[in-house]
Amino acid sequence: GDGEAIIFTEPDNIVAEGSSEHVINIANEGDRRLRWRTVFEAEWMTCDPERGFVEIGGDTDLFVVIDAENLDFGIYEDVLHIASNDRNNPEIPIPIRLTISPRIINVPDDFESIQAAINDADNGNIIQVAPGNYVENINFSGKNILLRGNPDNPEQVTINGDANESVVSFCNRETEAAIMSGFTITNGNSQQGGGIFCDNSNPSLSNLIISENRANESGGGIYCQEAFPTCREVQITGNTAEELGGGIHLFGNSSIDL
């Protein structure tokens, strides 16, 4: 009974994308029964089984299950150690790298309208809108998402409000993580905020052309009420209002970071 257990494992690392299952094979190439167990810290990983034996000349599969359900986007790393009674190799480190990427929803491929894509989106998702003319009035519905047209050529992706209410509305406490970039916003017509209506929200607006929108009262281009949007590379031209602020009207405790 003086033989040696000799452990051999493969693969030597795991690269995971989101929730997934992986297999590590543990073999005993020695002449003594191998006893092994797993050691790790990550709460997003489970091992089945967590410990076991491998007879002489045998092997077994260890299932590594990664649960990304409640994790934010980003890269997570841990090391799964397999400890054993192999005296020359008592602990094998297996690096685990988990990448969680935001979901990308394509318009019109996945949804014909921008609003349908927003309705299906979760916080952190990206909606990519192909070049074209979209006749609709959209509401971010409180979702902190990236709505992206073509930031380099915003005139290629137009949202046309059909002279029927605000073209874009942020009125459900959206934060600066609600991002709209790369669109022409035109032909809106409402009481306030023909182009963009912001109420109790702080969206991030960039690379937009806001033109030819109309307000019956105030804020032809943008209307803000208790709102603090950020604007970068935003052109506001040719908008009109019957009373106040053809381009922009700020009401109450509002400001725009230009």
Side-chain angles (χ1 to χ4, degrees):
D2 285 344
E4 292 277 354
I6 300 176
I7 190 171
F8 179 80
T9 63
E10 64 175 353
D12 58 9
N13 71 87
I14 291 175
V15 177
E17 272 273 353
S19 296
S20 47
E21 186 175 287
H22 308 266
V23 179
I24 295 173
N25 185 260
I26 303 172
N28 181 6
E29 299 184 348
D31 53 9
R32 181 178 188 173
R33 192 185 203 203
L34 174 73
R35 185 176 71 250
W36 63 270
R37 65 187 175 90
T38 57
V39 182
F40 59 92
E41 291 184 358
E43 294 181 356
W44 40 264
M45 180 165 60
T46 53
C47 290
D48 180 28
E50 291 185 348
R51 60 183 63 230
F53 295 95
V54 183
E55 301 302 335
I56 296 165
D59 71 302
T60 190
D61 283 338
L62 163 64
F63 295 93
V64 179
V65 178
I66 290 175
D67 177 10
E69 189 65 35
N70 297 311
L71 299 178
D72 291 329
F73 306 120
I75 294 171
Y76 297 78
E77 294 179 312
D78 195 17
V79 178
L80 168 60
H81 298 273
I82 299 180
S84 76
N85 60 334
D86 179 338
R87 287 187 298 191
N88 295 315
N89 200 2
E91 194 166 283
I92 296 178
I94 298 177
I96 314 283
R97 181 182 171 94
L98 167 62
T99 302
I100 304 177
S101 305
R103 173 185 173 213
I104 299 178
I105 304 170
N106 287 289
V107 177
D109 289 353
D110 298 324
F111 293 93
E112 281 188 28
S113 74
I114 299 170
Q115 189 63 52
I118 293 173
N119 295 347
D120 196 69
D122 296 311
N123 285 342
N125 289 174
I126 296 171
I127 298 175
Q128 179 64 56
V129 182
N133 184 39
Y134 299 84
V135 179
E136 54 181 310
N137 307 84
I138 67 171
N139 190 317
F140 263 63
S141 306
K143 296 183 179 180
N144 293 317
I145 53 181
L146 166 56
L147 179 62
R148 185 172 61 201
N150 186 338
D152 296 325
N153 289 300
E155 56 279 343
Q156 288 189 356
V157 193
T158 298
I159 307 177
N160 181 323
D162 202 26
N164 169 37
E165 69 184 278
S166 303
V167 184
V168 184
S169 298
F170 298 92
C171 43
N172 293 283
R173 301 192 180 278
E174 292 86 356
T175 72
E176 60 279 355
I179 305 166
M180 184 170 188
S181 181
F183 293 91
T184 295
I185 296 169
T186 190
N187 198 21
N189 186 350
S190 68
Q191 291 296 105
Q192 289 127 349
I196 296 179
F197 178 82
C198 294
D199 179 11
N200 269 297
S201 58
N202 310 324
S204 301
L205 309 173
S206 65
N207 302 90
L208 300 176
I209 298 169
I210 303 173
S211 66
E212 311 296 327
N213 299 285
R214 187 163 172 272
N216 296 328
E217 290 180 12
S218 50
I222 301 178
Y223 176 87
C224 294
Q225 177 171 311
E226 308 293 330
F228 301 89
T230 302
C231 294
R232 296 285 179 268
E233 305 291 329
V234 175
Q235 296 177 36
I236 303 173
T237 60
N239 303 283
T240 56
E242 298 290 313
E243 295 176 14
L244 298 167
I248 300 173
H249 181 69
L250 304 178
F251 181 79
N253 179 24
S254 295
S255 71
I256 287 191
D257 179 356
L258 292 168

